[in-house]
Amino acid sequence: MAELYDNIPMEVEDLLKDIKSGKLGLPDLQRPFVWKDNKVRDLLDSMLKGFPIGYIMIWSAPEDYENVKQIGLNEKNYKRSEDLVIDGQQRLTSLIASMYGIKVKDKRFKERRIRIVYNPLEAKFEVWSNRYEKDPLWINDISKLFEADDRHEATKFRREFIKRLNEYKVSKEEPKLTDDEEITIEENLNALLDLKDYSLPVLKIRQKADEEDVADIFKRVNSGGQNLNENNFIETLLSVYDNDVHDKIMKFCTESRIPLDGTSFNNIIDVDPSHLIRIAMGYGFNRARMRYGYKILRGKNLKTGETSEETRKENLEIFKNALDLVMDVNNWHAYLNLFPNAGYIRGNLVSSSYVVIYGYVWYLMGKYQYHVGPLELRKVITKFIFMSLVRQYYGLAPESSVERNFADLRDVKDAQGFVDYFNKEVELNFTEDFFTKTLPDDLHS
């Protein structure tokens, strides 16, 4: 069997240069950065001590995409990423953010800096706080040293650091640094700069590998047996191959968390990119299982099993049109306003994000595909929301339950049939036995 990947050690500096130039696609620069800053500190400390920090996995970008745009940083030499980072995104984001001052997004999609400080006398890292800002024993942001090195001014940086520290010592009536201490500072600053030469084992998966091969390789080499899910693939492809769509998704997600009129902000759900992808896939292709999403965007015809460039373009257009309806703020708020009507005024009262996600799919299908009247649509979807949350309708196997809904709706041909179907689902779950036995027992327990 032919090899699906190559093992190519690469130095940190080369990887980060490729990210900054756009040659290597790093979608995590656009996504919320989930690591705590102390984990970034520990990563740098492990590297300084020569400890291994794991594999980086990249995937040669498929050639069947023509309209490829840039992601990540502003100034790029490559309009098309040659490779995509599949595993190691958080580590590489940590390094480029802490060593070069690149901003990341927090869980609320706000940009922020990761500042790591360094004591060159002790070769010690810490997370920045006010106590280190003017402490002469510490470099208050390691990116300053790397910036100085890029300007070929590392020697000047070292001399100024030693000068400031000696001035501080004199002001405190303490002895100046000894020759040995100055040598230690120089050695430890050089050791910090040498992190650019740290060699990382890189698995480069070849272009011919499909998503199942990549997922299998990922799971086998990942020490925790972690799975690479479909969202990883879809978000990575969107961020690299249709950045306009990806930017719109990220903007919608960001604004859902910031109180501002005329945006996606709401009190029910903090929107994640995977939510929007699920809704668009559901509305556009009547699919709930995300494993189909990647295949669809790669140009697979789910009926024939064949993959083609023509189908890829058609599928992407369907996805983008669906996404336009999904992210229309008038549709969005008209739907979310049904939750207070159902008795849910805050997101912490909503027990299942699947109800929010797929309730919106049903709302859009009722409005645009079945042309249900506005009043009737609001009434039936509100009842369905209430029932779904009370009965945990999408509790145990949400994707299977939604696939059943889609299968049932294939036989529904008109507005009345749509309304009757969802009213029937409510009736089947809100039985007399539920109100007289199940609900009282649940409340009692």
Side-chain angles (χ1 to χ4, degrees), residues 106-123:
D106 64 16
K107 64 181 180 181
R108 299 193 67 80
F109 287 81
K110 291 183 179 180
E111 287 192 339
R112 71 176 185 87
R113 284 283 317 281
I114 297 174
R115 291 181 62 181
I116 302 298
V117 301
Y118 183 67
N119 184 325
L121 267 173
E122 300 178 3

Side-chain angles (χ1 to χ4, degrees), residues 138-195:
W138 294 82
I139 296 171
N140 62 15
D141 187 343
I142 63 170
S143 68
K144 294 179 179 179
L145 175 61
F146 288 99
E147 290 171 2
D149 189 52
D150 287 345
R151 299 191 304 267
H152 307 290
E153 295 179 352
T155 300
K156 179 182 177 182
F157 184 96
R158 172 178 56 81
R159 288 173 178 168
E160 289 178 350
F161 177 84
I162 290 174
K163 179 183 176 183
R164 286 194 304 272
L165 183 51
N166 276 328
E167 289 173 350
Y168 172 78
K169 284 178 169 290
V170 169
S171 71
K172 296 294 184 180
E173 297 183 350
E174 297 175 2
K176 290 185 177 182
L177 295 167
T178 65
D179 290 344
D180 286 344
E181 286 174 327
E182 290 193 12
I183 291 172
T184 296
I185 289 173
E186 181 176 6
E187 289 176 344
N188 287 338
L189 288 177
N190 288 336
L192 177 56
L193 289 173
D194 286 344
L195 294 185

